[in-house]
Amino acid sequence: MVGVGAFGRNHARVYRQLEEAGIVRLVGVVDADTTRANTVAREFECKAFGSVGQMLTTHSEVQAASVAVPTVLHLEVARDLIEAGVDVLIEKPLAATLGEADELIRLALTHQRVAQVGHLERFNPAVRATLPLISQPMFFEVHRLSVFSPRALDVDVVLDLMIHDLDIVLTFVKSQVKEIRAVGLPILSRKVDIANVRVEFETGCVANFTASRVSTERVRKLRFFQPRQYISIDYGRQDVLVFSVGDAWGTQPIFIQPSVNPQISMAKPPVTAEEPLLAEIKAFLQAVEERSKPVVPLEDGRRALALGLAILQEIARHAGRVGVGKN
Ligand SMILES: NC(=O)c1ccc[n+]([C@@H]2O[C@H](COP(=O)([O-])OP(=O)(O)OC[C@H]3O[C@@H](n4cnc5c(N)ncnc54)[C@H](O)[C@@H]3O)[C@@H](O)[C@H]2O)c1
């Protein structure tokens, strides 16, 4: 596990859990901050290293690694691993620029490594339960609000938080982006801390995204409409609510509750709660073992990054036009 700061420690915890289940052997944790590496290594009973190079010289048997160093260092750290023949799970956003993302894709291909990007919400059981229900999404309303913490300030809120929802909507809609309108402001950091974005797709679908890391409450919701259906996902509670008019259900085998209006039925598809990070790492290890394409390949990380960067350009354009803030 490379980079055991705020989020990387969670990866180490999950690898330790999988080690206890006999699925994997956690060789060690790497962090440039060796005090941090030692603390986390003690907690999860593994070795501590100060760099990827140090780990690889003593442990050439390492087959797979997660990378959760700051985004601007993803390429540098993942390159060392990939070139040494290690499969990688790289945290989101895949990289800070499209050039870096392309280089990561090229490296993985050249060295034939399994490479996955950490778009965690793909493994949220509520999202997984929604996938088979998608018909023709036409309108999304997405909110991801969190309280301020002085972390991940090397990137704007669009690449830090909104990128989760960009990836999910791109996965649901499966269409090219036609137009972007966006507004965003730095509030407590020097980067954009709050943003509101309207994305129109070639299919005519419109998605509104709001992301904030300076909120007083924590909200993670995605709601969308498709013909005669309204579907609401609460990522945090891991539940899905589906409202359908008439026979929009077709033959979907889902428990339907009668509602006040007989024309409208409300359903709660069964969702088996699971920690998304555990599901993500298990999927990564399965791809490593089977030498198969991961559920969320680097190309998907690049796709979300491209949209995120285009949104940031729009935010900068808007700020320049109205004469406020600075990206
Ligand atoms: N999937 C998610 O929901 C999610 C949530 C939070 C963060 N993240 C991502 O995880 C990554 C890390 O974020 P964080 O909040 O944990 O940051 P952080 O700053 O808390 O941790 C980063 C750690 O990397 C270490 N580090 C820096 N350079 C290193 C190097 N060359 N080699 C080894 N270690 C090095 C630092 O010492 C630090 O301990 C970011 O890409 C972020 O976007 C993902």
Side-chain angles (χ1 to χ4, degrees), residues 5-7 31-33 68-71 73-74 91-93 118 120 151 164:
F7 201 67
D31 202 293
D33 174 348
V69 297
T71 304
L73 296 174
H74 283 184
E91 261 309 332
K92 55 45 66 178
L120 192 61
R151 50 152 292 275
H164 286 291

Side-chain angles (χ1 to χ4, degrees), residues 1-11 30-34 36-37 49-52 67-74 76-77 80 90-94 118-121 144 150-155 159-161 163-164 220 277 280:
M1 178 58 225
V2 186
V4 280
F7 201 67
R9 182 193 160 275
N10 290 318
H11 281 251
V30 180
D31 202 293
D33 174 348
T34 49
R36 178 76 188 159
F49 307 95
S51 69
V52 167
V67 176
V69 297
T71 304
V72 290
L73 296 174
H74 283 184
E76 184 183 315
V77 168
D80 288 349
I90 305 171
E91 261 309 332
K92 55 45 66 178
L94 176 55
H119 281 297
L120 192 61
E121 298 292 19
R144 186 172 292 260
R151 50 152 292 275
L153 299 181
D154 58 326
V155 291
L159 297 189
D160 179 21
L161 300 183
I163 197 147
H164 286 291
R220 286 185 291 152
L277 186 60
E280 176 183 88

